Amino acid sequence: MDMEKVNSMDFGEFVDVFGNVVERCPLIAAAVWSQRPFSNSEDLEKHFFAFIDALPQSGQEGILRCHPDLAGRELQQGTLTAESRREQRGAGLMSLDAAERLRLAELNAQYRARFGFPFVLAARLSDRAAVPGELARRLQRPPAEELRTALGEVKKIGRLRLADLLGAAGLAGP
Ligand SMILES: NC(=O)NC1=NC(=O)NC1=O
């Protein structure tokens, strides 16, 4: 892994490349830049996750609130980030019928009303058939446990996005 290139990035380059590892939270990349040099991709990922874990609950909930709903308004309006659009399309969430979309909208609304943040799941590790059931199941979980679960999904999304970036941007090495 050619971490030499990553470690040589100035602040602007680093945030340009890694600013959306956590959806719409460039602050995290901006903070992690200070931790360079990174010994390898796991070390880089560890710093992203450590920042999330060190936040107060309000900050962790804030990260979740930066995520667009699955198959929600932003998908309909075409305002998703490129990463989110790819992830949601890959899970088949762009081709839901009206009934599926309505069901998901209802579940998302119930979830948000109960927890105060949106349902977050690593769409690339799921698919359109599984999402409603997973949402309904997690809807019943105690808030403290569900916050931990949701942050775990943010990390899964971040891990996959980092792997794309380090692999695709010619940063992958032997
Ligand atoms: N609410 C969400 O789970 N959003 C998302 N999951 C992904 O995998 N990408 C998203 O934007």
Side-chain angles (χ1 to χ4, degrees), residues 15-82:
V15 175
D16 278 351
V17 172
F18 297 105
N20 209 42
V21 164
V22 178
E23 181 71 2
R24 294 188 174 139
C25 290
L27 164 72
I28 302 179
V32 165
W33 181 70
S34 324
Q35 308 293 327
R36 73 197 189 288
F38 308 101
S39 41
N40 53 37
S41 55
E42 289 76 20
D43 184 39
L44 178 61
E45 177 186 289
K46 185 188 69 181
H47 286 296
F48 271 86
F49 293 178
F51 183 93
I52 294 173
D53 293 339
L55 286 173
Q57 179 170 329
S58 59
Q60 294 176 334
E61 292 177 354
I63 287 178
L64 297 170
R65 294 185 190 120
C66 288
H67 285 70
D69 281 346
L70 291 174
R73 186 174 41 79
E74 297 211 46
L75 183 148
Q76 310 306 329
Q77 290 172 345
T79 56
L80 290 174
T81 59

Side-chain angles (χ1 to χ4, degrees), residues 23 67-70 84 87-88 119-124 157 161:
E23 181 71 2
H67 285 70
D69 281 346
L70 291 174
S84 175
E87 287 153 357
Q88 297 208 35
F119 174 74
V120 176
L121 162 144
R124 282 164 74 170
I157 296 168
R161 289 185 181 185

